[in-house]
Amino acid sequence: MPKMSACSDSKEADLAHKTTLTLYSPRPWQVFQRQSMRTGKVLIDGRLADRADVVEVKFTGRSAGGALDGRWRRAKLDRASRAFRLSAQLPAGGWYSLEVRARVGGETVASARAEKFGVGEVFVTAGQSNSTSCGQFPTKQRSGMVSAFNGTQWKTATDPMWGAYDLIGVSPTELIVYAGGSPWLSFGDAMYKRYGVPIGVAVTGQGGSSVLQWQPGEDVFAWMMTRIWQLGAGGFRAVLWHQGESDCEMPPGQYCEKLARVIEASRAEGGWAIPWSVAKVSYRGPDLPRLDSMRVEFDAIWESGIALAGPDTDTLGGDNRDDDGKGVHFSPKGLRAHGRMWANVIAKWLGKP
């Protein structure tokens, strides 16, 4: 019997050495948007370099409801292209691990693993500097459960958040301006504390941008839409919009009209009814902490039903702002408060865990 086992192990190792398995999905730190509060679909996608009879996958890890069952499941294998795929319904939670094996005649000829992915809540963020990484100092997440997506890769979220239009085509000197803190680590931590699932954030904003720069056909709008297409229909919960400081001098009614056009175009081009949550933003500094003529524009957006009410960040003054309270960007304290405000308003419409 020992000789048979040794022979079998040698044969399997030899076969595995000759065959390659490439796994495209899931990626490390990837968060898949859950379809209900309890479950979501995880896409397994890959290709073999050589033939196989079957491809099987196994998930391990713990969800909020307990350990995953760890059973082997068969993926759909196209023998002509040697591509394999499976859309697996998993409990919300993470981080999870995946094992994939290809077998010929009962022997494993190729294998691969994916680590640290999960099923939770994903958000696209857009707007100007206070939606990106222009806070006074970088912050850190505390949960270890917040991921960031830049369009090609996922990683554990850190400040400055990658993926923003801020970081495209600017000089090294300008880049320093956008290397501060964001509200999204605090937001993710607060969401994880409330819901117990991984949180994914795709930042797309541009510092100093006007709503005019976000109009359909403009580069920044296209940048945001690319992220929306990459995540796919139903692939994220909502777009979170924080912008307005640059547009406080617009004629009455124009901001509401221009932002509505952005929202409607995103849904038309995205191909689904993307929820939007819009913050109330008019803070111009401690001497002008709120501009009522601008605030009514956000009231009109909310009352029209085209977008959900976001946080009122005009309320964050004093030491919540940088430059000893004299700036328009947020201090670390303000960034944490800003993130918690987003989590609180989203919880009102997302509901209980």
Side-chain angles (χ1 to χ4, degrees), residues 83-122:
F84 61 87
R85 176 172 285 218
L86 176 67
S87 181
Q89 194 84 14
L90 292 184
W95 301 114
Y96 297 147
S97 298
L98 170 72
E99 293 179 59
V100 184
R101 68 184 183 188
R103 295 170 69 82
V104 174
E107 303 287 351
T108 298
V109 297
S111 62
R113 289 184 63 88
E115 304 285 351
K116 288 189 180 295
F117 61 92
V119 176
E121 292 292 330
V122 182

Side-chain angles (χ1 to χ4, degrees), residues 153-167:
Q153 296 180 1
W154 290 83
K155 72 169 185 175
T156 184
T158 57
D159 277 339
M161 292 285 283
W162 68 357
Y165 193 83
D166 279 342
L167 305 182

Side-chain angles (χ1 to χ4, degrees), residues 130-149:
N130 281 321
S131 78
T132 63
S133 298
C134 290
Q136 185 174 18
F137 301 116
T139 63
K140 294 183 179 180
Q141 63 167 296
R142 299 174 180 176
S143 65
M145 300 301 294
V146 189
S147 290
F149 179 56

Side-chain angles (χ1 to χ4, degrees), residues 125-136 166 181-184 203 205-209 241-245 281 283 313 320-322 327-331 335 338-339 342:
T125 73
Q128 60 183 99
S129 56
N130 281 321
S131 78
T132 63
S133 298
C134 290
Q136 185 174 18
D166 279 342
S182 78
W184 306 121
V203 175
Q206 167 64 56
S209 58
W241 176 264
H242 192 282
Q243 190 276 334
E245 300 97 329
V281 182
Y283 190 92
T313 58
N320 287 296
R321 300 285 172 165
D322 64 354
V328 296
H329 297 128
F330 292 108
S331 66
L335 291 171
H338 184 182
W342 272 113

